[in-house]
Amino acid sequence: MLLIDCPYCGARPEIEFRCGGEAHITRPAPEAARDDESFAQFLYFRRNTKGMLAENWWHVHGCQRWFHALRDTQTDAFAATYKIGATPPDLPGSAS
Amino acid sequence: MRFSFLALLRQAFHPDVPWTRQWRDPEPKSAYDAVIVGGGGHGLATAFYLASQHGLTNIAVLEKGWIGGGNTGRNTTIIRSNYLFPESAALYDHSLKLFEGLSQALNYNVMFSPRGVLMLAHNHHDIISLKRHVYANRLSGIDNQYISAKAAKAFCPPLNISPRIRYPVLGAALQRRGGVARHDAVAWGFARAADALGVDIIQNCEVTGLMRDAGGAVRGIETTRGAISTPKVGVVAAGHSSVVLERFGLRMPLESFPLQALVSEPVKPIVPCVVMSNTIHAYISQSDKGELVIGAGTDQYVSYSQQGGQHVTAQTLEAICELFPQFGRMRMLRNWGGIVDVTPDRSPIIGKTPIEGLFVNCGWGTGGFKATPGSGHVFAHTMATGAPHPINAPFGLERFASGRLIDEAAAAAVAH
Ligand SMILES: Cc1cc2nc3c(=O)[nH]c(=O)nc-3n(C[C@H](O)[C@H](O)[C@H](O)COP(=O)(O)OP(=O)(O)OC[C@H]3O[C@@H](n4cnc5c(N)ncnc54)[C@H](O)[C@@H]3O)c2cc1C
Ligand SMILES: [Zn+2]
């Protein structure tokens, strides 16, 4: 089980959290949303990165707040967690 | 050589003469008419049907590790076709029918055992959902019946149907034609039969890039064992499909998660069929070696670590112990994970891509073993003719833009 560092509560076991998938996906602007292709990209297409991935996490059985995390999907190790609205921290030697 | 009773007998009397290699170990050629990326069951089946049905024999299967070492060799081998939507039922039943004659067609014993698949209902919602599946299946001409808890117990005597457990068994759906097969044998049988038709099966060869001509069409691929020219590439790389396609410049509607399974120490025959429960997420059958084969769930996050969280298996074992209290003291021998590629609607993607000459067969997620022969068959048709077979036509990549999803996720929300 992963140990996850909630930016509000500190390190807690994974079963207190829900993973909300890839982070920083922006909804197409209303004009663009009329085109099925860009809406499909927004709804369904994902990076699915093998490596460092920015994610949404929800501390559902804790403070109930959403936050972001950078996690290496090859090792499952968290590199950083950060609050919603913040820009992802720069990590040495990684591109998100 | 052909396998037969006589061949076995002959071999038994000549233990000094070893069995011959079942397929060659060729060096990659510089050019092929088509190349399959990924030597799992689906890739090997595709190659077999390309060679046997479409006469394309100058082709290769490229596998980065060893054949069948991915999800094919890691799955719990449940085979069934009782899916809700007609499109899925047609696809999975096509495969089930091919499984029924596969050992003969390949001259290789894939140990297909249609011992029946029992899916349990634990609450009112389950009963309604299973009945809906049964009625939908009947309309599609697929065997599936709803039976009482008592009848489920008669079909599977070790099952605990006590009303006093946390999630009592209230009834079940039974597909008698469903069952299991030997996973390795499916990969090896297709490999051997494809090789006999001239297909090159190349292991330890990772595909790293795509070469395109001036018009953008596929010209060849780059691999760790050199470049290969070919006009047609089929990507069948399960959990790594999006990784391969990203190298080719395509993003996919896929997410990869670890899915776990485990086996117990071997015991005498006790579980006569496959038992699945979606609600408490457990599934179990017994291998011919006697091990209980138990499937757990996926982790909640994208991962390529090939090992899932321990709490995921623990949860499944709790469910198994409630359904089969007599297994409570059994020891588990091995536990492992496979990386499954999951689509938003939990249906596979089989078809063309925006790149001319590039085809994909992926997104089988937690339940593609049962589809191995059918998937290979329709994908071979798609690659050979450039147009989908009627069975896989609804499963194209276009459905994510058109909105015509085949939402088995909402229908069952379940693995395998
Ligand atoms: C624990 C578990 C239990 C399951 N239980 C069931 C079940 O009961 N019933 C069922 O129907 N399904 C089940 N499944 C799902 C099933 O295993 C898969 O859907 C199916 O086996 C996929 O077959 P495949 O040939 O597409 O993939 P794989 O067998 O994974 O083959 C893909 C191959 O591609 C290779 N590859 C990847 N990248 C590259 C590259 N760059 N170059 C070359 N090769 C590459 C990999 O090494 C791999 O061998 C289960 C899966 C798991 C993990
Ligand atoms: Zn918190």
Side-chain angles (χ1 to χ4, degrees), chain B residues 62-226:
Chain B
L62 308 184
E63 164 56 50
K64 76 171 171 188
W66 64 95
I67 59 168
N71 293 344
T72 299
R74 295 166 186 270
N75 83 96
T76 51
T77 77
I78 299 173
I79 297 170
R80 60 185 180 89
S81 65
N82 51 356
Y83 282 69
L84 181 65
F85 295 109
E87 294 88 349
S88 327
L91 176 61
Y92 289 101
D93 208 53
H94 177 54
S95 191
L96 179 48
K97 285 186 186 129
L98 288 172
F99 256 119
E100 285 164 349
L102 198 59
S103 295
Q104 285 73 24
L106 299 178
N107 178 235
Y108 201 87
N109 189 358
V110 301
M111 296 163 85
F112 175 57
S113 164
R115 54 184 70 173
V117 174
L118 206 55
M119 296 173 96
L120 306 179
H122 301 280
N123 53 41
H124 184 64
H125 171 84
D126 284 356
I127 295 175
I128 290 179
S129 158
L130 287 183
K131 284 188 176 169
R132 185 179 174 210
H133 278 74
V134 166
Y135 300 141
N137 290 157
R138 283 206 199 143
L139 289 175
S140 308
I142 287 163
D143 76 302
N144 196 9
Q145 65 188 115
Y146 188 80
I147 61 175
S148 68
K150 250 173 109 179
K153 171 110 182 139
F155 194 75
C156 182
L159 184 65
N160 178 15
I161 57 164
S162 159
R164 281 190 301 279
I165 62 176
R166 173 74 178 82
Y167 292 101
V169 177
L170 302 180
L174 172 61
Q175 184 176 30
R176 289 179 189 271
R177 283 164 65 229
V180 292
R182 173 82 201 278
H183 47 15
D184 295 326
V186 172
W188 298 337
F190 274 120
R192 172 174 172 271
D195 174 87
L197 294 169
V199 176
D200 281 359
I201 292 160
I202 299 158
Q203 306 185 80
N204 299 311
C205 179
E206 179 171 350
V207 172
T208 51
L210 188 70
M211 299 182 294
R212 297 167 69 174
D213 65 20
V218 169
R219 184 167 60 79
I221 48 169
E222 285 150 11
T223 80
T224 48
R225 291 173 69 175

Side-chain angles (χ1 to χ4, degrees), chain A residues 1-2 14-15 17-19 36-37 40 44-50 53 55 57 71 73-74 76, chain B residues 64 240 242-243 251-256 300-305 307 310-311 344 397 400-401 405:
Chain A
M1 188 180 308
L2 307 177
E14 181 196 333
I15 46 169
F17 298 84
R18 286 283 173 284
C19 182
D36 290 343
E37 198 48 55
Y44 302 125
F45 287 67
R46 295 292 175 263
R47 288 177 196 274
N48 203 24
T49 312
K50 183 173 183 174
L53 180 65
E55 293 177 322
W57 283 84
R71 190 175 55 84
T73 61
Q74 295 178 88
D76 294 337
Chain B
K64 76 171 171 188
H240 279 77
S242 71
V243 176
R251 191 176 285 191
M252 294 295 287
L254 289 174
E255 287 189 299
S256 297
Q300 53 170 332
Y301 44 81
V302 167
S303 173
Y304 294 87
S305 68
Q307 62 179 64
Q310 186 118 53
H311 61 287
L397 200 48
F400 298 97
L405 302 186

Side-chain angles (χ1 to χ4, degrees), chain B residues 37-43 62-79 83 205-208 236-241 244 247 259-261 283 295 336-341 361 364-372 416:
Chain B
V37 182
H42 288 234
L62 308 184
E63 164 56 50
K64 76 171 171 188
W66 64 95
I67 59 168
N71 293 344
T72 299
R74 295 166 186 270
N75 83 96
T76 51
T77 77
I78 299 173
I79 297 170
Y83 282 69
C205 179
E206 179 171 350
V207 172
T208 51
V236 200
H240 279 77
S241 296
V244 174
R247 290 175 185 168
L259 178 68
Q260 297 182 74
Y283 40 108
W336 63 89
I339 303 304
V340 296
D341 47 333
N361 183 357
W364 289 96
T366 57
F369 175 71
K370 62 177 74 65
T372 306
H416 48 76

Side-chain angles (χ1 to χ4, degrees), chain A residues 24-93:
Chain A
H24 312 304
I25 299 173
T26 33
R27 190 186 171 99
E31 317 80 65
R34 274 194 296 258
D35 135 46
D36 290 343
E37 198 48 55
S38 52
F39 220 70
Q41 291 290 331
F42 161 67
L43 282 175
Y44 302 125
F45 287 67
R46 295 292 175 263
R47 288 177 196 274
N48 203 24
T49 312
K50 183 173 183 174
M52 205 57 79
L53 180 65
E55 293 177 322
N56 300 312
W57 283 84
W58 182 26
H59 195 182
V60 57
H61 299 298
C63 63
Q64 300 215 337
R65 284 200 257 194
W66 284 91
F67 60 92
H68 297 309
L70 282 175
R71 190 175 55 84
D72 185 341
T73 61
Q74 295 178 88
T75 59
D76 294 337
F78 283 86
T81 53
Y82 52 102
K83 294 180 181 174
I84 300 279
T87 41
D90 279 339
L91 298 175

